[in-house]
Amino acid sequence: MIHWKPLVGATLGMMVLAGCGESPQQLGQATTYKQGKYQGKPDSRPYESGPSSYSQDKSWQAGDKTGWEKAVKTRQQAQNEYNRAE
């Protein structure tokens, strides 16, 4: 006959102790953080990529800032509740 209570107790004890450990939170061994320096990928402007494939508004092209701004304003006005209620 196997005594399950000590086995279950030992397993739960090991799980509790494993959860108390703290591992170092580093990106990698070769990566060093430089204070005040951005380490990530540089962001591009939103109008530089062009409309996405799932976008419904294709009225602007990649790099067209004024066309992009016009498309955003049109989209915002379509979501304006005051204009929709009238």
Side-chain angles (χ1 to χ4, degrees):
M1 182 168 169
I2 299 175
H3 297 286
W4 292 99
K5 288 183 182 180
L7 181 61
V8 171
T11 304
L12 287 175
M14 290 171 52
M15 289 171 60
V16 167
L17 288 177
C20 292
E22 184 173 345
S23 59
Q25 298 177 4
Q26 263 180 293
L27 292 176
Q29 299 299 333
T31 305
T32 56
Y33 177 72
K34 297 174 187 159
Q35 184 68 30
K37 302 289 182 186
Y38 178 65
Q39 299 289 317
K41 173 181 76 75
D43 293 332
S44 61
R45 304 284 184 236
Y47 53 84
E48 290 177 352
S49 61
S52 62
S53 60
Y54 59 87
S55 177
Q56 295 177 359
D57 187 11
K58 307 274 188 200
S59 63
W60 59 282
Q61 299 296 321
D64 181 17
K65 184 177 180 180
T66 56
W68 176 79
E69 289 175 345
K70 183 179 176 188
V72 169
K73 287 184 188 295
T74 304
R75 180 177 176 204
Q76 289 173 345
Q77 287 302 319
Q79 295 176 355
N80 188 350
E81 291 293 327
Y82 289 113
N83 289 344
R84 292 170 69 184
E86 292 177 357

